[in-house]
Amino acid sequence: MARVLVTRPLPPGSLEPLEGHDITILDPWAAGSSALAEVVRDLAPEAIVCTLNDRIDAGVIDAGTTGRGRPGRQVLGRQVLGQQVQGQQVQGDGSRLRVVANVAVGYDNIDVAAASARGVLVCNTPGVLDETTADLAFALILAASRRTSEAEADLRAGRWGGWALDGYLGRDVHGATLGLVGFGRTARAVARRARGFSMEVLHHSRTATGVAGYMADLDSMLAISDIVSLHVPLSIETHHIIDTRRLAVMKPSAVLVNTSRGPVVDEAALADALAEGRIFAAGLDVYENEPAIHPRLLAAPHTVLLPHMGSASTATRTAMARMAAEGAADALAGRPPAHLLR
Ligand code: GLV
């Protein structure tokens, strides 16, 4: 039996693969990585199951691999498969962190290099959230193009004076040219939906895909796309991939949608482009400094803003949590997790 730290409550049943292990669930978890490092040092877990808003940096990894578990310290709350035992005393026994399982496909919250250097496995949850995230990307494509958020806000606030020929004029989605930045599983799922809307689908990725619609030059694709949807992981290369210059390359009638990671867009530049009418609209689910939202984005016209909910269906979040638990259980049993990151 190994000690497992789960950084927040997960959907019912999703921790079954870890049954038999000593599971501590932090509830609620809203602290930064230095506080998490403290908990990890105290608890000395062999596995951590975390979510994308837990920063698993070198400090946390070090705490798990060099900390020895200080006897008699309190953790925030303790739950062993459903039984809450508040303020339980934990006893360190010198065990060592072996695996970090992220309940997310994106893993920019984890310093994988630091983990690998210390022999800690890292795994994620690819494949189970693509369709659900593509649904939400399409919801943003439709909502931003057709201005549904501002129209509904007017209606609710009593500002709607009745049908008008020129009321809430937006951009057509059907027949539009869609430019996908990145062409992984979620982008392909968006492309499948786009075909049902008679859209022309283009895509750009670092390596040629061999699929019709591939454009090696990102700027050329941005220049001819009516709608641009971002599907790249966050990395040094993709940070601010959409910046002032690329926004200027886009059509003034263009709609930008982001369901990947906030920092791939320069939010200040996007807010300026929207305010000055240099692009038509934006639909965002992710932000540079979540949960803070850039104040100029909040004020920008033609903007649909959602609270990072791309994979938020009950079925998908349960599948993600279970997959992460399976990864942790595999590592604890000495088997390589199915979705190991290096
Ligand atoms: C969600 O944003 C994920 O990366 O799983």
Side-chain angles (χ1 to χ4, degrees):
M1 181 173 80
R3 208 161 24 233
V4 178
L5 173 64
V6 182
T7 60
R8 67 199 68 230
L10 297 179
S14 51
L15 288 177
E16 265 167 27
L18 285 163
E19 234 160 36
H21 292 294
D22 175 4
I23 301 177
T24 295
I25 302 175
L26 300 184
D27 179 18
W29 183 251
S33 66
S34 57
L36 183 56
E38 176 99 340
V39 174
V40 168
R41 191 170 295 110
D42 284 348
L43 189 65
E46 286 170 65
I48 299 175
V49 179
C50 61
T51 62
L52 60 86
N53 34 5
D54 299 310
R55 238 183 112 58
I56 310 292
D57 56 16
V60 173
I61 305 283
D62 278 344
T65 49
T66 59
R68 285 291 171 265
R70 285 180 249 154
R73 291 290 307 268
Q74 276 201 342
V75 291
L76 300 182
R78 186 169 162 82
Q79 197 179 39
V80 180
L81 283 180
Q83 286 177 321
Q84 186 77 31
V85 188
Q86 280 301 334
Q88 171 126 358
Q89 302 287 306
V90 294
Q91 297 295 323
D93 62 1
S95 59
R96 188 183 189 282
L97 183 62
R98 289 153 64 187
V99 60
V100 176
N102 206 30
V103 185
V105 63
Y107 53 90
D108 47 283
N109 57 312
I110 302 177
D111 188 338
V112 179
S116 303
R118 291 156 183 81
V120 177
L121 304 179
V122 181
C123 54
N124 68 341
T125 64
V128 286
L129 52 102
D130 317 326
E131 299 293 335
T132 302
T133 306
D135 286 347
L136 194 91
F138 227 88
L140 284 172
I141 288 172
L142 289 164
S145 302
R146 297 298 304 275
R147 303 173 56 189
T148 61
S149 288
E150 60 186 285
E152 183 173 357
D154 280 357
L155 180 146
R156 287 180 185 276
R159 289 191 294 261
W160 182 46
W163 190 88
L165 194 63
D166 59 353
Y168 303 109
L169 301 182
R171 315 287 315 172
D172 280 326
V173 172
H174 71 270
T177 297
L178 173 66
L180 299 167
V181 182
F183 202 55
R185 286 175 303 260
T186 305
R188 289 171 197 243
V190 172
R192 285 195 294 278
R193 285 155 180 74
R195 279 184 218 114
F197 278 73
S198 309
M199 298 172 89
E200 185 184 346
V201 183
L202 307 173
H203 63 274
H204 165 82
S205 66
R206 268 185 317 181
T207 44
T209 59
V211 175
Y214 175 71
M215 292 188 70
D217 184 51
L218 175 57
D219 288 3
S220 305
M221 184 183 82
L222 295 178
I224 57 173
S225 296
D226 299 309
I227 297 165
V228 174
S229 189
L230 306 177
H231 300 282
V232 284
L234 177 60
S235 66
I236 293 167
E237 292 79 38
T238 62
H239 183 264
H240 285 189
I241 195 170
I242 300 297
D243 57 6
T244 303
R245 190 188 67 75
R246 289 218 163 97
L247 286 161
V249 169
M250 289 167 62
K251 295 181 178 183
S253 56
V255 174
L256 177 69
V257 167
N258 189 10
T259 51
S260 59
R261 284 292 183 266
V264 307
V265 175
D266 180 341
E267 280 179 359
L270 174 61
D272 288 345
L274 287 161
E276 292 160 20
R278 285 187 275 111
I279 69 166
F280 178 70
L284 308 178
D285 186 44
V286 287
Y287 305 91
E288 284 201 75
N289 298 301
E290 295 178 10
I293 309 293
H294 195 297
R296 295 216 307 280
L297 269 185
L298 288 171
H302 300 185
T303 306
V304 179
L305 303 175
L306 297 180
H308 201 154
M309 52 185 274
S311 60
S313 74
T314 305
T316 292
R317 286 281 166 85
T318 304
M320 290 164 69
R322 194 176 174 97
M323 183 179 272
E326 277 163 2
D330 282 345
L332 292 175
R335 298 184 294 268
H339 303 292
L340 193 57
L341 299 164
R342 286 162 222 279

